[in-house]
């Protein structure tokens, strides 16, 4: 553990400011790291590779707590691996975010009184690129604030030339392998953004709507159906019932009249229908509902589209031209006038999908789109986890992964946007369809035109682990850094981004999965466990907390809450506590430097060390091993907690305090302890660095004179353990803790000095008398010493003279009063718990409260009685 980045470090500059000021330190330090190239990765290196990609943030985005959380975890992993000697690549980049970016630029155009159609496609795309150059990507600067150790020279963008070539290449290969096709299917349609959107771009929320029950047909041939979207009845082409439902068996195969139209529709039997729900009969609108579309396919029903892309009614009749919501009210009113409304329920709360970008209610819509045939790709993605090539962490998330990939529907990849990777398919004047690869010339001549749609953003981000390394070219970077070592991402996009990367990686890279491990984390929530949202008023800008408390404080708080796959609550007071921890590290290191702590020279032989020195080195090695095990298991919360308690409790509160008496005494023991303290701080700062990089860099370079802790060697467990020293110091801690507790119970101030006689002979505590006296503020006994309280602790005896410090009679009176109150509380609780009639009637929570009161009263009685026993006679 004695090696540092420099073999012979210069004498350190021991001058540190009296207080740590993150704002003065963080920016310059980060720029120095970047300038020195610490975060770059060399494909020619013979070091073993360690690769992680950044989940590419949207170019329109800014750093939120979810980003800060995820980036902290990835940065901790990559900083540690870099220190362990790996050629470490944390690949940065951004996603072009098709819908979000197009919306932003369209809003800017609207301020000028223009739309994208006024500019035309080419000029609009130029405008988007202009916006990206001027305003996009502010998140990059915020990543620097957080301390992200990414390889900036390798930064990629999903619309840059290389990645665009990768997109066109894989589209062409999939098309040629008949894994991409064009078909008319039901998709999620946003009437505001005017495009199909993916499932992940649909946000579901409970809305107040209406449930209307309507009677179709007449007399014995009538049937009642219920719907929350009455306007779609204009497109009904059947009513479906369950095949075994006796109520409707006589109607199956018959035609009934569809109200408000001049059409008749059949009654069909389909096992999809739940006979127990509602009336057991459902209207079937194949062009406007995904389940109805499947029923329509099974029964060869026509699909009638009755709304346009703006969700305006197109069906002929009095409702034509009405918005869907206007039509809903008008149709219900018309049905009511005909006496066909059987029941109406308002409000009817139900889950409704909304566009995540503009919050418009989604409209299921039959549309001609491009699709990926996912069955063979999804099977490969499932097999890679089942056969162990890819590990999912935590393992219990595997079931959710399999539930998804084993039941994937074909993926709609086309979007009706202008910003994005345009589909590389050309249509000819005679119905020709030609897919063009990146090295092929598109067909030209009269009547040839390119498909106007662009690809789903997830299509390009699904290539991220290998397209960023130069694929389809066989580059040195691809050979060195693919597959990724680990993917760190939220469980919320396990099904969307992760599954797509698995499918594409296995397909494009000859069966080699894109990463060895998928480490899933939870979502950041507020301190009460509630989802953070602007609408809830609990959203936090992480930059505000970094400005106030420093980036290290935010990072440490986030890491300390990061249990695998579990949501992370966070509150400002916790960040403030982490700031206090950073200050504690600063002050302890400053004390050590002022008292001559050093890393120069080898550690003295253990036989020359005191038990205190051997104890802290033994504990240090245990913590190194513990932290390594937690890192390898992605247990960020546990490793952060272990480091916090070791650094604060054992190093700063115990070892530093115990060393003060040694330093004051001087001599060879002091010189040994200075070297041990230097070693402990050196290793502790290196262990802490991946999570809190800024304060540790400042302190480590000052302490050691080394170049940078970023490139220092990661600590190794030397195997040194000393159980006897650990037991001896544990006994010492017990004595000091017990006497401190007694002093506090007697109302003594922490700094108040008390005469004391220590009987330590024959115990392991004998060498520690000076430390015990200093830490407990115990004066020599003196000639007039009178032992008014004697504490037998851990085989030793501490006799205190409290005659000049407390009024024993008053203290006995106070404790006696407290004891009487506790005994009264115990008697009352015991009486109630012994009353069978009371127990028979009282709610369980009330009985539990009384049991808790009884336990507390018994605790108080024992504590107060012990205090009275230790007091001298009045």
């Amino acid at each position: 553990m004695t090696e540092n980045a420099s073999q012979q470090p210069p004498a350190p500059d021991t001058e540190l400011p009296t207080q740590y000021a993150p704002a003065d330190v963080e920016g310059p330090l980060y720029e120095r790291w970047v300038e020195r190239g610490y975060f770059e990765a060399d494909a020619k290196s013979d070091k073993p590779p360690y690769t992680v990609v950044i989940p590419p943030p949207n170019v329109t985005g800014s750093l939120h707590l979810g980003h800060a959380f995820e980036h902290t975890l990835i940065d901790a992993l990559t900083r540690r691996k870099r220190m362990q000697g790996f050629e470490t690549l944390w690949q940065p980049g951004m996603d072009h975010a098709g819908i979000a970016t197009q919306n932003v630029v369209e809003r800017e155009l609207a301020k000028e009184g223009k739309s994208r159609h006024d500019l035309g496609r080419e000029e609009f795309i130029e405008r988007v690129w202009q916006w990206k150059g001027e305003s996009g990507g502010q998140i990059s600067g915020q990543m620097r604030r957080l301390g992200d150790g990414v390889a900036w020279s390798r930064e990629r963008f999903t619309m840059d030339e290389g990645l665009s070539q990768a997109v066109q290449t894989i589209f062409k290969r999939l098309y040629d392998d008949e894994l991409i096709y064009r078909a008319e299917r039901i998709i999620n349609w946003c009437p505001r953004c005017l495009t199909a959107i993916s499932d992940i771009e649909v946000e579901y929320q409970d809305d107040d709507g209406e449930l209307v029950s309507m009677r179709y047909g007449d007399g014995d041939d009538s049937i009642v159906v219920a719907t929350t979207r009455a306007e779609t009845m204009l497109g009904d082409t059947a009513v479906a019932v369950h095949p075994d439902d006796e109520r409707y068996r006589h109607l199956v195969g018959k035609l009934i009249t569809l109200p408000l139209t001049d059409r008749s529709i059949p009654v069909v039997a389909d096992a999809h229908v739940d006979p127990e729900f509602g009336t057991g009969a459902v209207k079937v609108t194949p062009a406007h509902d995904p389940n109805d579309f499947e029923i329509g396919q099974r029964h060869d029903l026509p699909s009638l589209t009755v709304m346009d892309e703006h969700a305006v009614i197109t069906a002929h009749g009095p409702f034509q031209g009405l918005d869907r919501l206007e039509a809903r009210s008008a149709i219900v009113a018309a049905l009511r006038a005909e006496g066909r409304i059987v029941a109406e329920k308002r409000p009817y709360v139900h889950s409704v999908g909304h566009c995540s970008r503009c919050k418009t209610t989604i409209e299921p819509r039959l549309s001609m789109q491009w699709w990926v045939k996912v069955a063979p790709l999804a099977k490969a993605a499932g097999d890679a986890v089942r056969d162990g090539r890819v590990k999912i962490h935590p393992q219990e998330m595997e079931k959710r992964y399999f539930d998804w990939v084993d039941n994937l529907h074909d993926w709609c990849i086309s979007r009706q946007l202008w910003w994005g990777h345009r589909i590389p398919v050309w249509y000819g004047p005679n119905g020709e369809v030609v897919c063009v690869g990146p090295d092929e010339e598109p067909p030209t001549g009269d009547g040839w035109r390119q498909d106007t749609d662009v690809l789903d953003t997830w299509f390009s981000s699904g290539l991220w682990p290998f397209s960023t390394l130069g694929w389809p070219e066989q580059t040195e970077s691809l050979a060195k850094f693919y597959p990724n070592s680990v993917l760190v991402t939220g469980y919320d996009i396990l099904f969307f981004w992760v599954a797509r990367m698995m499918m594409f990686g296995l397909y494009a890279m000859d069966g080699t999965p894109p990463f060895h491990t998928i480490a899933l984390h939870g979502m950041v929530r507020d301190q009460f466990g509630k989802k953070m949202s602007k609408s809830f008023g609990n959203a936090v800008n992480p930059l505000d907390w970094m400005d106030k408390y420093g980036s290290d404080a935010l990072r440490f708080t986030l890491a300390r809450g990061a249990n695998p796959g579990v949501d992370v609550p966070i509150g400002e007071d916790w960040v403030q506590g982490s700031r206090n921890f950073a200050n504690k590290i600063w002050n302890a290191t400053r004390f050590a430097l002022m008292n001559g702590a050093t890393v120069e020279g080898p550690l003295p032989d253990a036989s020359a060390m005191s038990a205190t020195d051997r104890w802290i080195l033994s504990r240090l090695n245990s913590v190194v091993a513990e932290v390594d095990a937690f890192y390898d298991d992605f247990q960020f919360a546990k490793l952060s907690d272990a480091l916090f308690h070791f650094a604060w409790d054992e190093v700063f509160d115990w070892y530093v305090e115990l060393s003060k008496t040694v330093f004051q005494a001087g001599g060879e023991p002091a010189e040994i302890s200075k070297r041990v303290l230097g070693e402990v701080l050196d290793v502790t700062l290196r262990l802490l660095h991946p999570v809190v990089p800024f304060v540790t860099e400042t302190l480590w370079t000052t302490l050691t004179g080394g170049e940078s802790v970023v490139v220092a060697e990661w600590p190794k467990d030397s195997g040194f353990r000393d159980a006897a020293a650990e037991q001896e110091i544990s006994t010492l801690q017990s004595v000091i803790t017990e006497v401190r507790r007694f002093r506090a119970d007697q109302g003594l101030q922490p700094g108040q000095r008390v005469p004391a006689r220590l009987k330590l002979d024959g115990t392991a505590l004998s060498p520690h008398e000076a430390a015990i006296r200093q830490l407990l503020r115990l004066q020599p006994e003196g000639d007039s010493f009178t032992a008014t309280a004697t504490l037998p602790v851990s085989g030793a005896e501490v006799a205190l003279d409290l005659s000049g410090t407390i009024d024993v009679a008053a203290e006995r009176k106070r404790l006696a009063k407290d004891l009487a109150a506790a005994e009264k509380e115990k008697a009352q609780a015991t009486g109630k718990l012994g009353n069978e009639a009371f127990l028979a009637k009282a709610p369980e929570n009330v009985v539990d409260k009384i049991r808790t009161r009884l336990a507390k009263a018994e605790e108080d009685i024992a504590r107060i009685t012990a205090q009275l026993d230790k007091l001298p006679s009045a």
Side-chain angles (χ1 to χ4, degrees):
M1 292 189 299
T2 60
E3 294 184 16
N4 296 316
S6 298
Q7 294 300 313
Q8 293 181 330
D13 177 5
T14 58
E15 291 297 320
L16 283 172
T18 55
Q19 291 184 322
Y20 177 49
D24 297 338
V25 170
E26 293 173 351
L29 269 188
Y30 188 84
E31 291 310 313
R32 190 184 312 156
W33 292 335
V34 173
E35 288 167 6
R36 292 178 177 178
Y38 292 154
F39 305 138
E40 296 303 324
D42 182 5
K44 299 180 186 297
S45 166
D46 59 2
K47 296 178 182 178
Y50 186 81
T51 316
V52 185
V53 294
I54 187 174
N58 288 352
V59 68
T60 59
S62 60
L63 193 73
H64 56 64
L65 271 179
H67 287 126
F69 173 55
E70 186 167 81
H71 289 205
T72 294
L73 304 187
I74 299 174
D75 198 39
L77 289 175
T78 52
R79 283 179 183 269
R80 172 176 175 257
K81 285 296 182 180
R82 190 176 293 112
M83 295 171 75
Q84 286 182 316
F86 286 77
E87 193 62 36
T88 303
L89 169 60
W90 183 9
Q91 173 67 55
M94 285 183 291
D95 193 288
H96 65 277
I99 296 177
T101 305
Q102 182 158 316
N103 280 349
V104 167
V105 178
E106 286 196 88
R107 283 197 296 269
E108 293 299 311
L109 284 175
K111 294 176 184 177
E112 304 171 17
K114 297 179 181 178
S115 74
R116 61 181 162 123
H117 300 285
D118 294 324
L119 274 63
R121 185 166 192 144
E122 288 188 10
E123 190 176 341
F124 176 76
I125 291 173
E126 286 180 14
R127 187 69 174 261
V128 179
W129 279 107
Q130 179 184 341
W131 174 87
K132 178 190 178 291
E134 295 172 357
S135 307
Q138 62 174 310
I139 201 167
S140 296
Q142 296 165 339
M143 287 166 59
R144 293 171 181 263
R145 283 287 313 277
L146 191 65
D148 286 3
V150 299
W152 287 113
S153 68
R154 292 173 172 266
E155 187 174 13
R156 303 303 299 269
F157 180 54
T158 50
M159 287 284 286
D160 69 28
E161 184 177 352
L163 268 64
S164 294
Q165 183 184 23
V167 168
Q168 194 172 354
T169 299
I170 201 163
F171 187 100
K172 171 70 172 173
R173 291 187 186 180
L174 289 164
Y175 183 88
D176 289 346
D177 287 344
E178 298 183 350
L179 293 173
I180 281 183
Y181 64 94
R182 192 167 183 246
E184 198 173 37
R185 299 274 183 86
I186 292 285
I187 44 84
N188 301 309
W189 181 264
C190 176
R192 157 61 184 80
C193 299
L194 299 180
T195 181
I197 64 173
S198 65
D199 291 338
I200 197 172
E201 291 164 323
V202 179
E203 292 180 349
Y204 287 90
Q205 65 184 49
D206 288 340
D207 286 357
D208 287 343
E210 60 181 4
L211 182 66
V212 179
S213 298
M214 309 176 291
R215 181 170 49 83
Y216 288 6
D218 296 293
D220 292 339
D221 289 346
S222 67
I223 195 166
V224 175
V225 297
T227 183
T228 59
R229 301 163 66 216
E231 67 279 9
T232 62
M233 60 88 60
L234 299 175
D236 287 358
T237 57
V239 170
V241 297
H242 194 276
D244 299 331
D245 195 329
E246 293 290 344
R247 293 172 296 175
Y248 304 118
R249 182 162 290 179
H250 68 288
L251 289 176
V252 174
K254 288 188 176 183
L255 296 176
I256 59 173
T257 302
L258 179 66
L260 307 182
T261 72
D262 58 358
R263 293 189 292 115
S264 294
I265 58 176
V267 177
V268 299
D270 195 279
H272 170 77
V273 179
D274 180 0
E276 302 299 322
F277 183 77
T279 64
V282 297
K283 59 192 287 298
V284 182
T285 321
H288 293 279
D289 183 273
N291 293 322
D292 292 3
F293 178 79
E294 298 295 332
I295 294 175
Q297 294 289 101
R298 288 192 289 271
H299 297 276
D300 199 25
L301 299 173
S303 296
L304 301 181
T305 300
V306 296
M307 275 181 270
D308 67 11
E309 60 185 8
H310 298 280
V312 171
I313 300 298
T314 57
H316 293 299
F319 311 108
Q320 187 175 9
L322 294 180
D323 170 83
R324 57 182 165 170
L325 298 182
E326 296 172 334
R328 183 176 300 172
S329 300
I331 287 171
V332 171
L335 290 169
R336 192 184 297 113
E338 290 190 3
R340 292 190 175 277
I341 298 297
V342 176
E344 297 178 71
K345 184 176 181 180
R346 294 188 186 86
Y348 178 72
V349 179
H350 62 132
S351 181
V352 178
H354 296 260
C355 174
S356 63
R357 305 299 178 190
C358 68
K359 311 309 177 187
T360 302
T361 300
I362 290 302
E363 191 63 44
R365 184 169 187 259
L366 186 63
S367 179
M368 182 66 75
Q369 303 285 344
W370 285 94
W371 304 81
V372 172
K373 187 184 296 182
V374 300
L377 304 175
K379 181 181 184 303
D383 290 346
V385 174
R386 286 189 170 95
D387 63 24
R389 282 175 290 158
V390 178
K391 304 289 186 185
I392 292 180
H393 192 279
Q395 190 174 2
E396 53 265 28
M397 287 285 184
E398 281 187 4
K399 182 180 183 302
R400 296 179 66 179
Y401 176 80
F402 292 135
D403 287 346
W404 179 257
V405 297
D406 293 346
N407 297 284
L408 267 179
H409 298 294
D410 285 359
W411 170 21
C412 175
I413 56 172
S414 46
R415 298 291 179 265
Q416 290 63 56
L417 303 171
W418 287 356
W419 173 243
H421 296 102
R422 195 166 175 181
I423 289 176
V425 171
W426 272 255
Y427 304 105
N430 299 311
E432 302 96 332
V433 179
V434 177
C435 180
V436 177
D439 299 322
E440 300 171 346
E441 290 295 326
T444 57
D446 292 342
W448 282 94
R449 59 183 178 83
Q450 185 178 358
D451 196 299
T452 57
D453 288 352
V454 300
L455 287 164
D456 178 13
T457 297
W458 295 101
F459 191 93
S460 52
S461 60
L463 314 180
W464 194 247
F466 51 93
S467 63
T468 52
L469 298 172
W471 186 92
E473 301 299 324
Q474 297 304 306
T475 64
E476 286 183 319
S477 290
L478 188 64
K480 177 75 174 179
F481 296 114
Y482 186 92
N484 284 200
S485 306
V486 61
L487 174 74
V488 179
T489 191
Y491 62 71
D492 58 325
I493 56 174
L494 171 65
F495 316 128
F496 303 100
W497 188 46
V498 178
R500 281 151 174 69
M501 285 190 291
M502 286 285 283
M503 291 190 295
F504 280 165
L506 289 159
Y507 174 79
M509 299 301 293
D510 300 320
T512 302
F515 18 74
H516 297 301
T517 302
I518 302 168
L520 298 170
H521 59 73
M523 303 296 101
V524 178
R525 297 182 177 272
D526 71 12
Q527 59 189 336
F528 305 108
K530 190 174 182 180
K531 179 181 177 181
M532 285 192 171
S533 166
K534 289 181 181 178
S535 60
F536 294 156
N538 63 348
V540 173
N541 182 347
L543 294 176
D544 293 340
W545 281 353
M546 287 192 279
D547 288 342
K548 195 170 183 180
Y549 303 111
S551 298
D552 285 334
L554 176 63
R555 290 171 60 115
F556 193 72
T557 305
L558 291 166
R560 206 172 175 196
N563 290 296
V566 179
D567 288 346
V568 182
I570 185 172
E572 184 170 1
D573 55 337
W574 303 344
V575 185
Q576 186 174 355
S578 295
R579 188 271 311 275
N580 295 343
F581 179 50
N583 288 341
K584 186 80 170 179
I585 302 170
W586 183 272
N587 292 333
T589 306
R590 186 168 177 272
F591 164 84
L593 289 167
M594 292 170 63
N595 284 274
T598 180
V599 298
E600 293 185 24
L603 278 172
D605 189 83
S607 61
M609 295 181 188
S610 67
T612 308
D613 292 333
R614 287 182 280 113
W615 159 72
I616 198 63
L617 290 174
S618 179
R619 288 293 304 126
L620 179 66
N621 278 283
S622 295
V623 169
V624 169
E626 191 177 8
V627 168
D628 273 334
F630 286 144
Y631 261 116
D632 292 341
D633 199 34
F634 304 101
Q635 297 282 357
F636 296 98
K638 290 182 178 178
L639 73 89
S640 299
D641 214 46
L643 286 170
F644 174 87
H645 287 295
F646 174 70
W648 192 307
D649 300 345
E650 298 186 78
V651 179
F652 306 150
D653 279 358
W654 283 108
Y655 183 70
V656 168
E657 291 300 314
L658 290 169
S659 297
K660 287 180 180 178
T661 54
V662 180
F663 293 156
Q664 289 170 1
E668 185 62 19
E671 296 306 311
I672 291 174
S673 289
K674 289 174 184 178
R675 179 64 189 88
V676 171
L677 179 54
E679 178 75 7
V680 170
L681 287 175
D682 168 23
V683 174
T684 302
L685 291 170
R686 282 188 276 154
L687 289 173
L688 283 165
H689 173 73
V691 181
V692 284
F694 294 107
V695 68
T696 51
E697 170 80 341
T698 305
L699 296 175
W700 187 86
T701 53
T702 304
L703 172 71
T704 68
E707 177 189 342
S708 171
V709 70
V710 176
V711 291
E713 183 181 350
W714 181 253
K716 295 184 178 70
D717 175 11
S718 71
F720 177 78
R721 300 291 191 278
D722 192 323
E726 289 196 36
Q727 180 58 51
E728 182 174 326
I729 301 305
S730 176
T731 302
L732 174 62
Q733 291 171 329
S734 296
V735 170
I736 292 172
T737 301
E738 181 65 24
V739 176
R740 279 176 173 167
R741 185 181 296 117
F742 177 76
R743 286 175 55 106
D745 288 343
Q746 307 311 312
L748 297 178
Q749 294 301 313
Q752 190 172 352
R753 295 196 169 274
V754 177
R757 176 188 297 143
L758 305 184
K759 292 185 178 180
L760 308 176
D761 294 341
T763 73
L765 298 173
S766 298
H768 303 289
E769 179 168 352
I772 292 172
R773 286 191 175 277
Q774 179 161 320
L775 292 176
L776 291 173
R777 303 295 190 269
L778 302 180
Q779 295 176 336
E781 52 193 279
D783 295 336
S784 60
F785 178 83
T786 302
T788 58
T790 302
L791 307 177
V793 283
S794 302
E797 185 177 279
V798 180
L800 305 175
D801 183 353
L802 303 178
S803 57
T805 56
I806 63 170
D807 184 335
V808 175
E811 185 64 15
R812 278 191 169 278
K813 185 177 181 181
R814 182 185 70 80
L815 290 172
K817 183 178 178 182
D818 290 347
L819 182 60
E823 288 174 337
K824 181 179 180 182
E825 176 73 3
K826 177 183 176 181
Q828 290 176 343
T830 302
K832 287 186 177 181
L833 292 174
N835 185 333
E836 294 295 336
F838 170 78
L839 292 176
K841 295 179 181 178
E844 186 61 30
N845 66 315
V846 173
V847 175
D848 285 343
K849 285 182 181 178
I850 294 171
R851 291 192 182 110
T852 301
R853 283 169 47 197
L854 175 60
K856 175 68 166 54
E858 289 174 338
E859 267 182 38
D860 289 344
I861 290 169
R863 175 179 56 80
I864 296 167
T865 301
Q867 289 177 238
L868 283 167
D869 289 344
K870 291 174 183 176
L871 279 175
S873 302

